[in-house]
């Protein structure tokens, strides 16, 4: 159920004009240059493989005739290459992607980028999920990253295995009966009794990570103070430890081993982002029709998702912003979902045919009915530039408990101690 490409292009331009971008967006589609600012002969665009729909990018090249758009798909360590190029001040892209895991560190260097609010981005904010918009903004309100995709989470589970174990199997029933982690764990214990080799959770580390994403605080607060030893972290830690002690977490499977375990029915559930559906389809194709999706216990989180930004060296910011907003309109984001499994950051996309059809892999389920509401309810969460580094000891120790049987109390003490040392080296108080 694909949308007409011509219709999408036309609809995308009209929606931008109606949204308040006004004549600047309209010029992007008509080939006019009155609002293009610097009138650059060319504009360069950097992104990584799968970071944008190649088809939508190719259409943008044809659409914006007042300049030559030169897209480049950059392999390897994208952030490293971007920073090196920026530091060298030569061949800096006009428009660049920023991966979700890198946005926090780059927000700490806002002078490298143009504040998109100065180009009228604020008029479009209501068209994107609020938490993602905030994620691309500095603490003082500059918008550096314009939302591309997001990764709202849900529970992926084997309908047939749940049913055989006497558990609720319909997505609505699963969502209601397993709405809390406690109820979900109880279901996991029942599943394990019915089939000792089957697990409802595939990863202790992944479980801990998803639980962290369900709150508004992480390891460092907005005053740059370490808060990794506080209750919100300890609660996620304790729940993860409990799941492991109940024996409902699978052994640590990686790559092909995970696929084999899932194909054999040893992995009956996993909490993951919307994009994980593509991993399932490619990794365990033979189980098509047996999987379903339900709301994640405890509420949604987000894993992954990226941004587009304009560098300070951008030769025509007004025109570049037109290109960015056209690429990331609701209609073109729906195409990105079809072409590259990029889950849209624009709620209007959720009502378009590209997302509303039933998915045969999930037994014909319309999974947008789970992921759409989840996307709108992800909490706004502050992530400091040093958050990833400070979080790592906690994840490492969770893995030690899970795979090596390390004492959880000792592991907690070790995690906090190591995290505080890293925080100190990162300038966190």
């Amino acid at each position: 159920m694909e949308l007409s490409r011509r219709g999408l292009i036309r609809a995308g331009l009209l929606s931008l004009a109606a949204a308040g971008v006004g004549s600047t967006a309209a010029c992007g589609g008509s080939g006019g240059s009155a609002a293009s600012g610097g009138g650059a002969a060319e504009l360069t665009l950097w992104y990584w493989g799968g970071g944008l729909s190649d088809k939508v990018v190719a259409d943008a090249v044809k659409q914006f005739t007042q300049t030559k758009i030169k897209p480049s798909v950059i392999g390897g360590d994208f952030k490293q290459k971007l920073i090196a190029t920026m530091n060298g001040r030569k061949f800096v892209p006009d428009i660049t992607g920023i991966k979700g895991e890198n946005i926090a560190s780059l927000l700490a260097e806002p002078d490298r980028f143009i504040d998109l609010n100065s180009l009228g981005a604020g008029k479009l904010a209501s068209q994107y999920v609020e938490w993602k918009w905030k994620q691309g903004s500095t603490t003082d309100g500059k918008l550096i990253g314009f939302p591309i995709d997001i990764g709202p989470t849900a529970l992926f589970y084997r309908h047939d295995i749940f049913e055989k174990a006497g558990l609720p199997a319909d997505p609505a029933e699963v969502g209601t009966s397993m709405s809390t982690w406690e109820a979900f764990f109880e279901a996991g214990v029942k599943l394990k009794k019915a089939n000792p080799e089957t697990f409802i959770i595939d990863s202790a580390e992944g479980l801990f990570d998803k639980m962290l994403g369900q709150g508004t605080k992480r390891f460092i607060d907005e005053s740059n103070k370490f808060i990794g030893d506080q209750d919100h972290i300890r609660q996620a830690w304790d729940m993860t430890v409990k799941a492991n002690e109940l024996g409902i977490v699978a052994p640590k499977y990686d790559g092909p081993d995970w696929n084999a375990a899932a194909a054999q029915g040893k992995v009956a559930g996993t909490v993951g982002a919307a994009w994980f559906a593509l991993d399932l389809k490619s990794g365990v194709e033979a189980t098509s029709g047996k999987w379903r999706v339900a709301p994640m216990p405890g509420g949604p989180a987000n894993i992954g998702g990226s941004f587009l930004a304009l560098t300070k060296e951008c030769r025509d910011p007004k025109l570049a912003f037109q290109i960015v907003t056209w690429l990331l309109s609701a209609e073109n984001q729906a195409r990105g979902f079809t072409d590259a499994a990029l889950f849209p950051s624009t709620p209007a996309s959720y009502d378009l045919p590209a997302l509303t059809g039933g998915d045969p892999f999930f037994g014909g389920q319309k999974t947008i009915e789970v992921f759409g509401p989840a996307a709108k309810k992800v909490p706004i969460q502050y992530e400091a530039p040093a958050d990833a580094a400070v979080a790592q000891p906690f994840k490492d120790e969770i893995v030690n408990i899970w795979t090596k049987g390390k004492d959880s109390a000792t592991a907690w003490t070790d995690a906090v101690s190591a995290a505080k040392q890293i925080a100190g080296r990162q300038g966190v108080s």
Side-chain angles (χ1 to χ4, degrees), residues 48-131:
W48 52 92
L52 292 169
S53 163
D54 293 333
K55 294 179 181 178
V56 173
V57 171
D59 283 345
V61 172
K62 299 174 184 177
Q63 189 72 22
F64 290 86
T65 57
Q66 63 270 57
T67 190
K68 181 178 182 181
I69 301 176
K70 296 182 66 176
S72 295
V73 177
I74 307 299
D77 190 324
F78 188 89
K79 180 188 176 185
Q80 184 181 47
K81 292 181 179 180
L82 176 63
I83 294 298
T85 303
M86 285 179 159
N87 289 342
R89 299 184 182 278
K90 290 183 179 179
F91 309 112
V92 179
D94 299 286
I95 307 169
T96 183
I98 298 177
K99 293 186 177 183
E101 62 265 31
N102 298 326
I103 188 66
S105 62
L106 291 175
L107 286 176
E109 303 180 80
D111 291 343
R112 290 183 182 270
F113 303 96
I114 292 173
D115 176 9
L116 301 178
N117 286 323
S118 68
L119 298 169
K123 296 177 182 178
L124 298 177
S126 63
Q127 296 183 29
Y128 297 79
V129 288
E130 182 184 6
W131 60 268

Side-chain angles (χ1 to χ4, degrees), residues 7-320:
L8 280 166
I9 292 172
R10 184 184 302 113
L13 294 171
L14 290 174
S15 68
L16 285 172
V21 178
S23 60
T24 59
C27 288
S30 66
S33 58
S36 63
E42 70 173 32
L43 291 172
T44 52
L45 165 63
W46 279 20
Y47 65 106
W48 52 92
L52 292 169
S53 163
D54 293 333
K55 294 179 181 178
V56 173
V57 171
D59 283 345
V61 172
K62 299 174 184 177
Q63 189 72 22
F64 290 86
T65 57
Q66 63 270 57
T67 190
K68 181 178 182 181
I69 301 176
K70 296 182 66 176
S72 295
V73 177
I74 307 299
D77 190 324
F78 188 89
K79 180 188 176 185
Q80 184 181 47
K81 292 181 179 180
L82 176 63
I83 294 298
T85 303
M86 285 179 159
N87 289 342
R89 299 184 182 278
K90 290 183 179 179
F91 309 112
V92 179
D94 299 286
I95 307 169
T96 183
I98 298 177
K99 293 186 177 183
E101 62 265 31
N102 298 326
I103 188 66
S105 62
L106 291 175
L107 286 176
E109 303 180 80
D111 291 343
R112 290 183 182 270
F113 303 96
I114 292 173
D115 176 9
L116 301 178
N117 286 323
S118 68
L119 298 169
K123 296 177 182 178
L124 298 177
S126 63
Q127 296 183 29
Y128 297 79
V129 288
E130 182 184 6
W131 60 268
K132 182 70 173 182
W133 195 269
K134 293 282 189 181
Q135 193 179 35
S137 302
T138 63
T139 53
D140 60 353
K142 296 183 178 70
L143 181 70
I144 303 303
F146 201 91
I148 301 179
D149 62 316
I150 57 178
T153 57
L155 169 65
F156 294 84
Y157 69 96
R158 283 282 296 269
H159 174 275
D160 57 327
I161 294 175
F162 272 33
E163 193 170 48
K164 288 179 183 178
L167 297 175
D170 177 77
E173 293 178 358
V174 171
T176 300
S177 66
M178 304 179 199
S179 62
T180 67
W181 287 115
E182 290 83 359
F184 180 64
F185 289 178
E186 289 176 9
V189 171
K190 186 175 181 179
L191 178 66
K192 188 79 181 295
K193 287 181 179 178
N195 189 341
E197 295 186 354
T198 301
F199 302 89
I200 203 168
I201 299 169
D202 68 324
S203 168
E205 181 184 7
L207 178 65
F208 179 67
D209 201 33
K210 309 302 186 301
M211 286 183 174
L212 288 179
Q214 292 178 313
T216 59
K217 298 185 291 184
R218 291 184 64 83
F219 295 89
I220 303 167
D221 67 15
E222 294 188 28
S223 65
N224 204 37
K225 180 182 177 182
F226 175 75
I227 55 173
D229 55 354
Q230 294 185 7
D231 287 346
H232 66 289
I233 301 295
R234 188 59 193 256
Q235 288 170 3
W237 175 280
D238 286 345
M239 288 298 288
T240 304
V241 169
K242 180 180 179 181
N244 189 64
E245 290 175 344
L246 289 171
I248 59 175
V249 183
K252 193 173 188 295
Y253 297 123
D254 294 310
D257 290 338
W258 192 98
N259 291 340
Q264 295 164 14
K266 294 180 180 179
V267 173
T270 180
V271 284
W275 46 261
F276 184 70
L278 188 62
D279 293 346
L280 277 178
K281 292 175 183 179
S282 60
V284 287
E285 185 178 0
T287 62
S288 179
K290 297 179 179 179
W291 290 87
R292 299 291 187 276
V293 178
M296 189 168 79
N302 178 76
I303 303 294
S306 304
F307 304 84
L308 283 180
L310 304 186
T311 64
K312 276 292 187 181
E313 290 79 5
C314 182
R315 289 165 287 184
D316 193 337
K318 289 184 179 180
L319 180 56

